[in-house]
């Protein structure tokens, strides 16, 4: 009897996930747009602005909302903000600046595998054997991107490939922790809407970066021109609004509709969009290997969606038998 609603939620959740990926993919491009600024400066400015935007949006309802936020909830929001925002973005920007955009995208491309494997241990999760084909296709896609990065000179501008790789792996670990923790926190905190949870996350993230940003500016000995500062402010504000306010809200809404095993696969939409933005930035078409990687990623997500549709169909058959 619940089959139509479940299918509707599945469709809505996937749409929210794709929208979040399209907005989040922009964060891979940001370090290329403002290469003269440090990762700490990028993170600090983006997240201070995220906090300010969140504060302005939550202010009219703060008196009511504040009564529903316990000390334990603030603790959860603080560590989630650090793992998924502050630490992740510093590491990601460092990885892009030192190792290049494609290598970073490759490593972050393993996120769906980790999150899906963790999610497969949840109660009532789709069995891992049914998810194995999509996981293997995801790995194949990541492998293709890695092969491309290692065997061409397209991205030879990398400053320090090994450091970039280490930063990307650390970013992978940080965001995996966030993805799993945030998904489970939203299940526990069902009295918060996805939008309110995002704004509260913004307040926690902004508070952390009010400390980080002045420190980052003091540590940067480079002198910047007026045009560079203007671009820095515009990119920071754009990423804060589009990726943090918009992307996070869509992602949280998706988390309320999809199981963790499918949430893991939806992270691939960020990988796809970041690759597309990279091709536009470099003014080129994907190579054969990159096109194969994209095909693997899309096929993997479709197979994962199919695996999640089958339990619903089986439940309907049992209820009508």
């Amino acid at each position: 009897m619940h089959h139509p609603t479940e299918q509707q939620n599945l469709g809505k959740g996937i749409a929210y996930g794709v929208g979040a990926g399209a907005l989040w993919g922009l964060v891979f491009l940001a370090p290329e747009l403002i290469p003269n600024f440090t990762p700490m400066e990028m993170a600090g400015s983006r997240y201070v602005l995220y906090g300010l935007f969140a504060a302005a949006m939550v202010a009219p309802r703060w008196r009511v909302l504040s009564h529903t936020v316990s000390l334990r909830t603030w603790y959860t929001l603080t560590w989630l903000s650090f793992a998924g925002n502050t630490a992740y973005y510093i590491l990601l920007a460092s990885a892009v600046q030192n190792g290049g955009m494609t290598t970073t995208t490759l490593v972050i491309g393993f996120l769906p595998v980790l999150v899906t494997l963790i999610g497969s241990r949840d109660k009532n999760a789709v069995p891992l054997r049914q998810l194995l084909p999509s996981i293997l296709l995801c790995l194949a896609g990541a492998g293709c991107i890695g092969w491309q990065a290692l065997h061409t000179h397209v991205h030879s501008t990398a400053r320090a490939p090994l450091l970039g790789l280490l930063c990307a792996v650390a970013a992978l670990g940080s965001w995996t922790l966030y993805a799993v923790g945030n998904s489970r926190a939203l299940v526990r905190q069902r009295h918060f809407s996805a939008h309110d949870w995002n704004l509260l996350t913004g307040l926690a993230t902004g508070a952390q970066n009010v400390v980080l940003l002045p420190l980052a500016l003091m540590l940067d000995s480079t002198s910047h021109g007026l045009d560079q500062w203007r671009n820095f402010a515009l990119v920071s504000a754009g990423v804060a609004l589009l990726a943090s306010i918009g992307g996070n809200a869509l992602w949280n809404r998706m988390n309320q509709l999809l199981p963790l095993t499918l949430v893991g696969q939806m992270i691939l939409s960020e990988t796809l969009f970041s690759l597309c933005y990279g091709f536009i930035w470099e003014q080129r078409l994907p190579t054969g290997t990159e096109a194969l990687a994209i095909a693997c990623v899309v096929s993997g997500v479709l197979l994962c969606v199919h695996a999640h549709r089958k339990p619903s169909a089986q439940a309907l058959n049992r209820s009508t038998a």
Side-chain angles (χ1 to χ4, degrees):
M1 294 296 290
H2 301 289
H3 180 63
T5 305
E6 287 177 4
Q7 295 304 313
Q8 195 176 23
N9 285 346
L10 191 69
K12 281 183 180 177
I14 291 166
Y16 286 130
V18 171
L23 294 173
W24 278 355
L26 294 168
V27 305
F28 287 77
L29 190 56
E32 299 278 11
L33 296 173
I34 43 175
N36 298 314
F37 291 88
T38 67
M40 277 179 67
E41 286 174 321
M42 290 180 212
S45 60
R46 170 189 173 180
Y47 291 129
V48 164
L49 288 169
Y50 176 26
L52 290 173
F53 291 143
M57 293 170 79
V58 85
R61 293 177 296 109
W62 180 246
R63 186 172 294 180
V64 175
L65 190 62
S66 62
H67 293 302
T68 63
V69 190
S70 66
L71 197 61
R72 186 176 178 183
T73 302
W74 279 121
Y75 170 75
T76 302
L77 286 164
T78 300
W79 81 257
L80 285 174
S81 297
F82 183 76
N85 291 328
T86 307
Y88 172 69
Y89 195 55
I90 291 172
L91 291 165
L92 178 76
S94 300
V96 171
Q97 286 191 338
N98 289 292
M101 195 166 167
T102 302
T103 302
T104 305
T105 304
L106 152 72
V107 177
I108 301 301
F110 283 94
L111 262 171
V113 178
L114 290 178
V115 176
T116 302
L117 286 173
I118 294 167
S120 68
R121 300 169 64 89
D122 284 359
K123 187 181 178 183
N124 298 325
V126 173
L128 187 58
R129 66 179 180 277
Q130 291 182 28
L131 300 171
L132 201 57
S134 62
I135 290 173
L136 290 174
L137 278 167
C138 169
L139 287 170
C144 287
I145 299 168
W147 178 267
Q148 175 72 19
L150 293 171
H151 290 82
T152 70
H153 298 287
V154 174
H155 303 283
S156 58
T157 53
R159 298 181 195 170
L162 182 58
L163 177 60
L165 180 64
L166 290 173
C167 287
V169 170
L172 172 68
S174 184
W175 213 85
T176 300
L177 190 67
Y178 164 77
V180 175
N182 189 59
S183 182
R184 290 177 175 164
L186 279 163
V187 171
R188 293 193 305 270
Q189 311 271 356
R190 287 196 180 276
H191 51 288
F192 292 111
S193 69
H195 183 58
D196 283 344
W197 187 254
N198 181 31
L199 296 181
L200 290 170
T201 304
L203 294 180
T205 308
Q208 291 171 14
N209 285 275
V210 163
V211 177
L212 177 69
L213 183 57
L215 178 65
L217 292 171
M218 282 191 295
L219 290 172
D220 184 11
S221 57
T222 312
S223 60
H224 303 288
L226 195 61
D227 284 349
Q228 290 179 329
W229 280 114
R230 186 194 63 210
N231 291 341
F232 177 66
L234 287 173
V235 170
S236 297
V239 173
L241 267 177
L242 295 172
S244 295
I245 296 289
N248 289 11
L250 291 172
W251 186 259
N252 287 338
R253 187 73 188 98
M254 179 209 68
N255 265 292
Q256 294 178 324
L257 296 170
L258 301 181
L260 189 55
T261 45
L262 188 50
V263 165
Q265 295 295 306
M266 293 313 300
I267 300 168
L268 286 165
S269 62
E270 179 190 20
T271 305
L272 278 178
F273 279 104
S274 65
L275 282 172
C276 292
Y277 298 150
F279 298 144
I280 294 167
W281 176 251
E282 293 166 6
Q283 297 182 336
R284 67 179 180 92
L285 291 171
T287 63
T289 310
E290 287 165 339
L292 180 61
I294 292 168
C296 287
V297 165
V298 173
S299 301
V301 171
L302 291 176
L303 277 175
C304 190
V305 170
H306 180 65
H308 283 82
R309 287 174 68 92
K310 284 196 283 189
S312 297
Q314 289 165 2
L316 179 68
N317 291 337
R318 283 195 298 271
S319 66
T320 55

